[in-house]
Amino acid sequence: MKKTSILALTLIGSLALGSASAQTSLKIASLSPLSGGQSDLGSQIKNGAQLAVNEYVPQFKKLGYDLSLTGYDDQADPATGTAAARKIAADTSILAVVGTLNSGVAIPSSAALAPSHVAMVSPANTANQVTDRGLKNMNRIVARDDAQGPAGANFMLTKLKAKSVYLLNDKTAYGEGLTAEVKKALLAKNTKISGDEGTEEKSDFSAIIQKIKLTKPDAIYFGGIYNQVGVFVKQLREAGVTVPLVGGDGLDSEQMVTIGGKGSDNVYYTTVAAPADALPAAKKVADAYSKAYGKDIQGFGIFGYDAAKVVLQGILLASKDNGNKLPSREQVETAMRKVRATGLLSGTVQFNSMGDRKAAKMYIMNISAGKFNLDSTINVKSPVN
């Protein structure tokens, strides 16, 4: 080989290496349960976010950024989530977070990230307190409990014609807050509350079921997560109680049927995350999810995808406002609150001054013969513009 050819190849190789090294590492993180009893939903959030990142890698590369996602496991536990949030804050290449699943984890985690100005966009948190604290870094793309609670209550009164309701919650920020909103709406319509209690029980609900059998409610409302409620409804049906059970988006998992078996029939739930078949634009993403992960995308996979797209569009806006240079975390935090995110499966997202989505939808689902069916759709608006 001629000496000039060798020099040319060397020069080309050096330029290629120089171009690669010029890429600046830019990360976003996901924070959700990737292990434990709620990992089904948590993995959906992370995987959905990864699909969005994959789509945006070329666009960020053109701007000189090497975009990637790092997933953190909060185990649906506030202490574990807060510890993970501190690790995220320590990695200065992470500009924003998609998460969390649980409101009880989001509240302390977002507080831990606030001093470092790490923006969060939640695909799932519904507790009013998540945004009512006024943190500049906390945003969500789903409706609040003060929308979801009344939706569940009105469904029991109008569709199920319930005159009396037995209330249960899982004693978490999510379950207690949601059930409190349901109770408020029921009492406003003079509905009889047959019982009202919180429980952390996971395996033997016989004492609670006995009280339900004695009070004979027309419906049961359980503010909790599928891994607990699934066990409860299975035992409830085995005890001969067939009245409808209603819950919130914590039941939005295929594991609800896996755990509850035939007991999952006559179960309804409100969810802030739309099922794939309710969103015509979701087919392409659903196919990509199935191909990548070997399972069907669920509601929180879709909203993990959408939340990540909001995050990425917020970062791009911050970069544009910074002269197309790498933005600071504080610049991203500011841009996230004012971004108008488009091209999402659930529609355009804009946040109000508190970080709540200005307009969202609520979906009421029914489980019958092991199938999840869309019952109705409700439009809701945030209480503050």
Side-chain angles (χ1 to χ4, degrees):
M1 185 179 290
K2 292 183 179 179
K3 190 173 182 180
T4 53
S5 298
I6 295 171
L7 286 171
L9 287 172
T10 303
L11 180 59
I12 291 169
S14 298
L15 288 171
L17 287 172
S19 176
S21 63
Q23 294 284 309
T24 301
S25 177
L26 189 161
K27 301 177 188 174
I28 69 170
S30 65
L31 184 59
S32 61
L34 303 179
S35 62
Q38 298 178 35
S39 60
D40 181 51
L41 297 185
S43 295
Q44 285 273 334
I45 288 172
K46 176 183 178 293
N47 294 343
Q50 184 65 63
L51 290 182
V53 168
N54 294 347
E55 289 182 15
Y56 274 73
V57 163
Q59 187 174 349
F60 274 74
K61 190 172 184 178
K62 288 179 181 178
L63 297 172
Y65 304 133
D66 181 19
L67 175 67
S68 63
L69 171 76
T70 302
Y72 288 81
D73 182 8
D74 63 31
Q75 298 177 20
D77 173 66
T80 304
T82 302
R86 293 194 180 105
K87 290 180 182 178
I88 291 170
D91 185 347
T92 55
S93 64
I94 297 176
L95 295 186
V97 177
V98 174
T100 61
L101 170 67
N102 307 90
S103 295
V105 177
I107 291 167
S109 298
S110 56
L113 291 169
S116 300
H117 300 283
V118 180
M120 291 182 70
V121 176
S122 172
N125 302 143
T126 61
N128 299 341
Q129 189 184 354
V130 169
T131 50
D132 281 354
R133 295 166 299 149
L135 295 182
K136 292 181 179 179
N137 68 320
M138 187 71 234
N139 312 276
R140 59 174 148 202
I141 65 169
V142 294
R144 298 157 48 104
D145 280 348
D146 51 13
Q148 185 172 193
N154 290 336
F155 177 78
M156 287 188 285
L157 296 177
T158 58
K159 186 71 177 282
L160 303 181
K161 308 297 183 184
K163 304 295 182 184
S164 60
V165 179
Y166 200 103
L167 301 175
L168 292 166
N169 73 78
D170 62 3
K171 300 183 77 170
T172 67
Y174 163 74
E176 287 181 342
L178 179 57
T179 307
E181 293 292 341
V182 170
K183 182 178 181 180
K184 187 191 303 182
L186 290 174
L187 290 176
K189 297 290 181 68
N190 299 313
T191 309
K192 180 182 177 182
I193 306 299
S194 302
D196 182 8
E197 60 183 299
T199 178
E200 295 176 321
E201 181 58 56
K202 296 290 196 299
S203 59
D204 182 3
F205 293 93
S206 55
I208 294 174
I209 292 171
Q210 186 58 32
K211 284 184 270 187
I212 291 171
K213 293 180 78 171
L214 288 172
T215 56
K216 298 179 180 179
D218 296 324
I220 301 164
Y221 189 91
F222 199 145
I225 306 294
Y226 65 87
N227 59 325
Q228 180 189 30
V229 182
V231 177
F232 168 76
V233 77
K234 185 175 187 295
Q235 294 180 12
L236 184 75
R237 302 308 189 212
E238 289 171 349
V241 182
T242 60
V243 298
L245 182 140
V246 182
D249 54 310
L251 308 190
D252 191 4
S253 168
E254 292 175 350
Q255 289 296 307
M256 182 66 193
V257 172
T258 302
I259 297 168
K262 293 182 179 179
S264 299
D265 278 9
N266 207 20
V267 168
Y268 299 84
Y269 61 88
T270 54
T271 182
V272 292
D277 56 8
L279 301 171
K283 187 181 185 308
K284 182 179 178 181
V285 175
D287 290 344
Y289 191 100
S290 179
K291 183 177 179 180
Y293 303 109
K295 57 176 67 175
D296 292 339
I297 196 169
Q298 298 174 45
F300 286 112
I302 289 171
F303 273 63
Y305 173 87
D306 272 4
K309 290 190 76 168
V310 174
V311 162
L312 296 169
Q313 290 184 38
I315 293 172
L316 289 172
L317 176 61
S319 177
K320 181 182 177 182
D321 291 345
N322 194 40
N324 291 322
K325 294 182 292 185
L326 183 69
S328 67
R329 284 173 164 179
E330 194 164 2
Q331 288 171 324
V332 171
E333 178 186 60
T334 299
M336 207 69 69
R337 189 61 60 87
K338 68 178 184 179
V339 73
R340 183 178 184 273
T342 59
L344 278 62
L345 301 179
S346 62
T348 299
V349 166
Q350 286 182 285
F351 298 119
N352 65 11
S353 60
M354 300 296 288
D356 288 317
R357 187 171 183 167
K358 288 185 176 181
K361 291 183 184 294
M362 187 77 59
Y363 305 88
I364 297 179
M365 303 293 294
N366 164 239
I367 302 176
S368 178
K371 302 292 185 181
F372 292 75
N373 308 296
L374 177 63
D375 182 276
S376 52
T377 303
I378 303 167
N379 293 312
V380 297
K381 291 185 177 181
S382 61
V384 179
N385 291 320

